[in-house]
Amino acid sequence: GEEVAQTPKHLVRGEGQKAKLYCAPIKGHSYVFWYQQVLKNEFKFLISFQNENVFDETGMPKERFSAKCLPNSPCSLEIQATKLEDSAVYFCASSHSDTQYFGPGTRLTVL
Amino acid sequence: KNEVEQSPQNLTAQEGEFITINCSYSVGISALHWLQQHPGGGIVSLFMLSSGKKKHGRLIATINIQEKHSSLHITASHPRDSAVYICAVRSGSGAGSYQLTFGKGTKLSVIP
């Protein structure tokens, strides 16, 4: 597609539950990025992929967060045992060169 | 780690005013992005700069690599320009450096 698609738009989880977010990058884009935006203006890089390979995961809290980009499937970001501080908007972006195109985000609320 | 500072944090302007938003960073970069986040949360990439100046409609972005500083200008501002403007930098070069480090954003409100 011509836009980055993210699902679901909103996700509510109780503390300790699992959350799974999906991202379909723009067709032809080989790079996918996940960002976490807490408190509206604090963006944090989580992980990037080049095709299905993890490229940079320096921002991932590895004990609970995992991500995949498998061929012919949307990319996914999974949080095991969610915590209150995981409440944020999670943005996915894709690119084929320099400009990153952002999806609309998934708002995760952990209660 | 690159520190990205934006100023001002909040900006209120009258319709028609010329607006400048500033961004400075601490470590040399390969590219700088200006992003616009609408009140609904959607993000639009406005510019990607590695040197000089770019113009798109009423928006102009400049970067001074030596001074580690960039500015975003809006001419003849309009209420629909009201949004949060975010500066984000990419350090290093090559595919492995594509992650962005973000400033905290400048919230712009343009009053009719």
Side-chain angles (χ1 to χ4, degrees):
Chain A
E2 292 298 316
E3 292 181 341
V4 177
Q6 287 189 250
T7 55
K9 202 167 178 176
H10 300 280
L11 189 57
V12 180
R13 287 289 178 265
E15 202 173 6
Q17 290 186 315
K18 186 170 73 176
K20 196 163 185 178
L21 292 60
Y22 297 91
C23 168
I26 292 172
K27 201 172 183 180
H29 285 191
S30 50
Y31 295 98
V32 171
F33 306 81
W34 284 99
Y35 297 97
Q36 179 193 54
Q37 187 184 27
V38 178
L39 298 175
K40 206 75 167 101
N41 286 329
E42 299 269 0
F43 277 90
K44 180 190 170 192
F45 167 78
L46 295 175
I47 190 168
S48 64
F49 288 83
Q50 183 181 20
N51 298 312
E52 61 265 27
N53 304 307
V54 173
F55 214 98
D56 183 344
E57 55 183 348
T58 51
M60 284 282 270
K62 289 183 189 172
E63 60 277 7
R64 297 184 299 109
F65 284 58
S66 63
K68 291 179 191 174
C69 274
L70 300 175
N72 303 314
S73 295
C75 296
S76 63
L77 176 69
E78 189 167 340
I79 310 172
Q80 302 284 344
T82 51
K83 295 184 177 181
L84 296 176
E85 63 259 32
D86 298 331
S87 294
V89 180
Y90 291 83
F91 286 97
C92 170
S94 73
S95 78
H96 65 91
S97 59
D98 290 326
T99 300
Q100 295 187 20
Y101 296 85
F102 285 79
T106 292
R107 180 177 295 280
L108 172 66
T109 302
V110 181
L111 302 174
Chain B
K1 188 191 170 203
N2 221 331
E3 302 290 332
V4 181
E5 299 286 336
Q6 281 187 241
S7 63
Q9 273 190 304
N10 294 285
L11 181 55
T12 301
Q14 288 292 133
E15 184 172 357
E17 281 185 9
F18 180 85
I19 286 159
T20 296
I21 299 170
N22 296 299
C23 174
S24 60
Y25 49 91
S26 57
V27 177
I29 63 169
S30 57
L32 182 144
H33 294 252
W34 280 102
L35 308 170
Q36 180 192 52
Q37 187 168 30
H38 294 287
I43 298 172
V44 174
S45 186
L46 298 174
F47 294 104
M48 197 277 296
L49 291 162
S50 52
S51 65
K53 175 178 165 179
K54 284 189 176 178
K55 186 174 190 288
H56 186 133
R58 294 180 296 106
L59 301 178
I60 303 166
T62 62
I63 188 167
N64 185 318
I65 296 291
Q66 287 74 30
E67 293 186 5
K68 297 186 178 64
H69 181 268
S70 174
S71 293
L72 175 69
H73 306 284
I74 305 175
T75 61
S77 58
H78 189 276
R80 65 174 173 266
D81 297 327
S82 299
V84 176
Y85 292 84
I86 301 165
C87 168
V89 301
R90 189 183 90 200
S91 304
S93 59
S97 306
Y98 276 21
Q99 65 157 291
L100 299 175
T101 303
F102 295 80
K104 292 185 179 177
T106 295
K107 185 174 180 181
L108 171 66
S109 301
V110 181
I111 300 168

